[in-house]
Amino acid sequence: MTILQWILILPLLSAVLTFLAPKSLTKLVHLLGSLVSSVAMFCAIWQVYKGGVSLFACGNMLFLDALGAAFLFLVCVTGFCTQLYAPTYLGWEVASGHAQQKAAKLNLTLSHVAVFAMVLACIANNIGVMWAAIEATTLATVFMVALLSDKKSLESAYKYIVVCSVGLAFALFAVILLYGGAQNVLGEKNDFLFSNLLGVAGGLNANLMVVVFTFALIGFGTKAGLVPTHTWLPDAHAQGPAPTSALLSGIVLKVAMLGLVRFYALTLRASGADFVETMMLISGILTIFVAAFFLIRQHDVKRMFAYHSIAHMGVVAFAFGVGGKFGIAAGVFHCLAHSFTKALAFLTTGNIARIYGTKDMTKMGGMIHVAPLTTVLFGVAICSLVGVPAFAIFVSEFMAFKGALFNGQVMVAVVFAIGLGIIFVADFSHFFLASFGREVGTVKHRGEMSLWENLPLILLAVLVVSFGLYHFDCFWNLVDRSVSMMMEGTK
């Protein structure tokens, strides 16, 4: 059995064992399953990095190239950190009477199912299977959003599944049109596989691929949170439990973006860069500014971070719109930087909710005196999200800005900088209000969380700073190979 098969089987096995485990062993089984699954994923990624070639399995239906490995790394690391924090947070919810023990156990079980779907999306070679896997992430996580089963949670879950399913229907149209258009050029390699399509993409009808990419942008863009089909995201992220929000923002959005990037690569070869880059550029700038406008008015800490997710998916789209070596590399790296940062941000809101019993930042204040380590971790997340130098997100935003200037797109770079400036001002005003302002609300839990409870947050904070300061050759090797794959054969 190959490593690609193991990384699919292990999350499913973990889900079954977590569901069947007795109450006293549920946490242990969940954590061991998460650890083993993540170790297996890391082994697969390492093979791609060291071997310098893609991995194939199951008659080439499964494959892991450099691009897939870069995104699988997010599932591996961010997924493990959120899984590590989940039992702690859900324990608080059960102890406070906000959630039932049975619902908490189901949440842990479904988190493994979601990991399975995300892994499949990263390693599926068949385009149709990839689409089905991305749709499966919606089905797995929608019940996690509705953990509390109150009116707001149920409405958010309903909106999430309806909007995303309708959006992904457009992506299905893209898959069907691509399948129809590819039959004449696949020849003997008639399997509808990405690895096959990449080699013959130059022979695809250019006008057809313009239509295909438009449907893909609408479909996968809906799941990724791009404007104007982003409306499900603020509610789902705000109402879901903190670990679920971290999973959604940190990984699920990125997996949807991976689906779009696969179509981006094919369209570059079939139709050239002009159309696809223009569409991504418009989508990115529009998304950044719409999210920035809503960020200014947010006082709910989880909705604030939800709109940040939208804004940074806009940054990813902008980077791919800039194109070229700098733009594409920035887009891929930004997915990693935002994954670590946003997981840290949402997990921090779990601590904050325990401290104040509210998500309203106007009813907080003085957090630095109540829980200093949580405040520092909150600050790390904010600093990275607004692009402060020495934090991970600054690297990719600077690369995207530099790429625009190198392409002679000076006005585009200026508009991009203005959007980021608005986000910077909005975020720090909220951060100072909650952390250093006068203590306004009632403190439900006075004191810092234990080291074990904060461990996943500390790990993510270290990664956010490390990737901002240090050039990790192993990951950048995957990024560079992804760039080469997308730029090779571009018309």
Side-chain angles (χ1 to χ4, degrees):
M1 191 173 289
T2 67
I3 189 66
L4 296 186
Q5 291 168 307
W6 275 115
I7 63 176
L8 279 179
I9 292 170
L10 288 171
L12 282 181
L13 182 61
S14 299
V16 173
L17 294 177
T18 301
F19 183 75
L20 296 177
K23 180 181 176 181
S24 59
L25 294 177
T26 300
K27 179 178 178 180
L28 177 61
V29 172
H30 165 76
L31 293 177
L32 284 176
S34 302
L35 178 61
V36 172
S37 297
S38 293
V39 169
M41 286 181 236
F42 186 80
C43 290
I45 296 164
W46 191 255
Q47 286 186 31
V48 173
Y49 162 61
K50 293 297 289 184
V53 294
S54 302
L55 304 180
F56 289 87
C58 298
N60 293 344
M61 287 291 288
L62 302 179
F63 92 127
L64 186 64
D65 60 348
L67 180 63
F71 281 81
L72 186 64
F73 185 65
L74 312 186
V75 184
C76 170
V77 178
T78 307
F80 177 71
C81 290
T82 57
Q83 300 277 45
L84 186 61
Y85 184 79
T88 297
Y89 179 85
L90 294 173
W92 296 338
E93 291 289 275
V94 172
S96 64
H98 293 152
Q100 299 295 319
Q101 182 67 45
K102 185 177 179 180
K105 185 174 184 178
L106 179 62
N107 193 282
L108 293 178
T109 301
L110 288 173
S111 67
H112 293 288
V113 178
V115 168
F116 161 78
M118 291 185 287
V119 170
L120 181 57
C122 291
I123 68 174
N125 199 5
N126 185 286
I127 301 293
V129 173
M130 180 192 71
W131 174 88
I134 295 173
E135 175 66 22
T137 63
T138 307
L139 300 176
T141 53
V142 66
F143 296 104
M144 298 170 67
V145 171
L147 171 73
L148 301 183
S149 297
D150 58 7
K151 184 178 179 181
K152 287 186 177 180
S153 296
L154 292 173
E155 284 180 353
S156 299
Y158 178 77
K159 188 175 183 180
Y160 170 36
I161 193 168
V162 169
V163 174
C164 285
S165 295
V166 171
L168 285 171
F170 282 89
L172 180 58
F173 294 153
V175 173
I176 294 169
L177 287 172
L178 178 60
Y179 178 78
Q183 292 307 297
N184 294 329
V185 297
L186 281 173
E188 293 182 2
K189 295 181 178 180
N190 57 1
D191 292 333
F192 190 51
L193 307 179
F194 178 78
S195 56
N196 291 343
L197 288 168
L198 200 61
V200 298
L204 293 170
N205 184 281
N207 294 327
L208 174 66
M209 288 306 295
V210 164
V211 177
V212 166
F213 183 77
T214 302
F215 277 117
L217 179 59
I218 296 170
F220 293 118
T222 298
K223 188 62 184 287
L226 297 178
V227 171
T229 52
H230 66 287
T231 51
W232 66 271
L233 195 151
D235 292 333
H237 285 52
Q239 295 304 319
T244 301
S245 300
L247 196 71
L248 284 171
S249 185
I251 319 176
V252 173
L253 299 186
K254 311 306 181 297
V255 168
M257 187 60 72
L258 172 62
L260 180 58
V261 171
R262 296 282 191 200
F263 278 85
Y264 173 92
L266 294 175
T267 311
L268 276 178
R269 295 191 178 200
S271 306
D274 289 346
F275 174 79
V276 68
E277 290 180 358
T278 301
M279 289 291 286
M280 292 293 274
L281 207 57
I282 293 171
S283 178
I285 291 174
L286 180 63
T287 300
I288 291 169
F289 276 89
V290 169
F293 172 76
F294 282 101
L295 270 172
I296 296 172
R297 306 172 59 186
Q298 288 305 316
H299 294 292
D300 182 310
V301 64
K302 291 194 74 179
R303 288 187 75 86
M304 178 186 77
F305 284 138
Y307 279 107
H308 250 297
S309 297
I310 297 169
H312 284 281
M313 287 301 94
V315 173
V316 174
F318 175 87
F320 281 107
V322 167
K325 181 179 178 180
F326 287 119
I328 296 174
V332 176
F333 185 80
H334 197 81
C335 287
L336 171 128
H338 183 255
S339 179
F340 293 161
T341 304
K342 190 47 67 65
L344 171 62
F346 274 117
L347 296 188
T348 305
T349 66
N351 285 9
I352 294 172
R354 190 189 187 200
I355 294 167
Y356 293 103
T358 181
K359 297 178 287 186
D360 189 344
M361 288 181 285
T362 62
K363 297 179 182 178
M364 298 178 186
M367 187 163 56
I368 187 66
H369 304 295
V370 179
L373 180 56
T374 295
T375 307
V376 170
L377 295 169
F378 186 39
V380 170
I382 292 291
C383 287
S384 184
L385 286 171
V386 299
V388 173
F391 293 89
I393 282 179
F394 170 77
V395 176
S396 46
E397 289 182 342
F398 180 74
M399 286 179 65
F401 184 80
K402 182 168 69 173
L405 292 180
F406 272 39
N407 292 346
Q409 300 168 304
V410 178
M411 285 306 300
V412 168
V414 170
V415 171
F416 179 59
I418 291 172
L420 297 183
I422 296 171
I423 294 171
F424 183 94
V425 173
D427 264 23
F428 269 111
S429 64
H430 295 319
F431 171 66
F432 284 115
L433 175 68
S435 302
F436 303 105
R438 182 174 57 88
E439 193 175 303
V440 178
T442 303
V443 177
K444 305 286 186 180
H445 177 86
R446 188 171 292 276
E448 188 55 76
M449 313 303 128
S450 69
L451 179 61
W452 171 257
E453 291 168 337
N454 275 328
L455 181 60
L457 286 72
I458 294 170
L459 291 175
L460 288 166
V462 169
L463 288 168
V464 167
V465 175
S466 298
F467 274 89
L469 292 174
Y470 186 73
H471 188 283
F472 289 93
D473 290 337
C474 51
F475 186 79
W476 280 103
N477 173 271
L478 298 177
V479 173
D480 291 340
R481 285 161 59 186
S482 300
V483 172
S484 298
M485 178 272 289
M486 281 184 262
M487 293 189 66
E488 183 182 342
T490 301
K491 288 185 176 180

